[in-house]
Amino acid sequence: MEITPLSIEGAWSITPRQFPDERGLFFEAFKQSAFVEAVGRKLEVAQVNTSVSTPGTIRGIHFSDVPPSQAKYVQCARGALLDIVVDIRVGSPTFGQWDSLLLEEKDRRAIFLSEGLGHAFIALDEATTAVYLCSTPYAPGREHGVNPFCKTIGIDWPTQDIHGRPIEHLLSEKDREAPGLLKAKEAGLLPSYEDARAFVSSIES
């Protein structure tokens, strides 16, 4: 299992080693010991979510209050998606920046996002199935969003699916009406870099 950091502090790419044979293949989707060795903390799983999306579906940018926020370990069980991590931590050196990772069936990569980061993805294939290991349960009153088309962030959303076919962007009403990054900051919705780092430090091994 190869675990490497992305350009946003607190986000990691996880590529498992696959073992194919005439029956199919086997791989370790999550291994706590390898995760702790690379990331320096445990991932306590409190909830596992699954979403199935049509091509062009955008989910996010989602985040929750710190503490405890919600760390996510996201995998693509079927299809393909472009996963997006956004640094929404006020005071961070990379505040407002984003990075992406293609999750699909070939490499079986996963992405881990620490508490305090914004998360989104776009489905790039039919019946794209994402599985999320979450550190805390869903708490509606603590969940927030930033508009995925916020110009301050400037995410370059794909306009074609994994096969090169054009796609139409599909969003929920909640995501479509979410504020931009600066408005969310003005409203006091965003976590601070210091609070997020302090909380992560408190659970590091």
Side-chain angles (χ1 to χ4, degrees):
M1 181 174 288
E2 180 182 355
I3 304 178
T4 56
L6 298 181
S7 64
I8 303 298
E9 177 190 342
W12 302 74
S13 167
I14 301 97
T15 305
R17 183 182 176 190
Q18 300 185 62
F19 300 91
D21 60 24
E22 66 276 6
R23 301 167 298 170
L25 65 84
F26 171 86
F27 68 97
E28 296 173 336
F30 174 75
K31 188 173 184 179
Q32 188 76 272
S33 60
F35 182 83
V36 171
E37 182 178 356
V39 179
R41 58 170 286 185
K42 288 185 177 180
L43 174 60
E44 300 293 342
V45 178
Q47 184 170 321
V48 179
N49 300 329
T50 301
S51 66
V52 181
S53 304
T54 59
T57 296
I58 295 174
R59 299 182 185 269
I61 305 165
H62 298 151
F63 65 98
S64 56
D65 292 338
V66 177
S69 189
Q70 187 182 69
K72 296 178 180 177
Y73 189 102
V74 185
Q75 304 162 305
C76 184
R78 177 182 177 183
L81 62 89
L82 185 68
D83 202 282
I84 306 289
V85 54
V86 182
D87 194 345
I88 58 168
R89 301 167 298 188
V90 178
S92 169
T94 55
F95 176 70
Q97 296 181 27
W98 61 279
D99 202 351
S100 63
L101 189 66
L102 179 65
L103 309 183
E104 39 74 49
E105 296 179 62
K106 180 181 178 181
D107 294 325
R108 308 279 178 177
R109 284 192 190 94
I111 187 171
F112 173 70
L113 301 91
S114 296
E115 293 84 352
L117 294 174
H119 177 250
F121 73 78
I122 180 171
L124 299 176
D125 205 355
E126 297 292 341
T128 289
T129 304
V131 178
Y132 319 62
L133 310 184
C134 302
S135 64
T136 58
Y138 176 67
R142 305 179 62 85
E143 306 290 333
H144 308 286
V146 171
N147 194 293
F149 291 101
C150 170
K151 293 181 180 180
T152 301
I153 300 172
I155 297 173
D156 185 18
W157 292 107
T159 57
Q160 295 182 330
D161 68 10
I162 198 72
H163 307 290
R165 299 174 299 208
I167 52 177
E168 179 182 351
H169 294 149
L170 304 172
L171 290 80
S172 70
E173 183 177 354
K174 181 179 179 180
D175 289 343
R176 188 180 299 109
E177 295 181 354
L181 184 70
L182 299 183
K183 286 189 176 181
K185 179 183 176 182
E186 291 173 2
L189 296 176
L190 304 181
S192 75
Y193 183 55
E194 290 184 359
D195 288 348
R197 293 193 75 191
F199 181 77
V200 172
S201 294
S202 73
I203 58 177
E204 288 179 345
S205 59

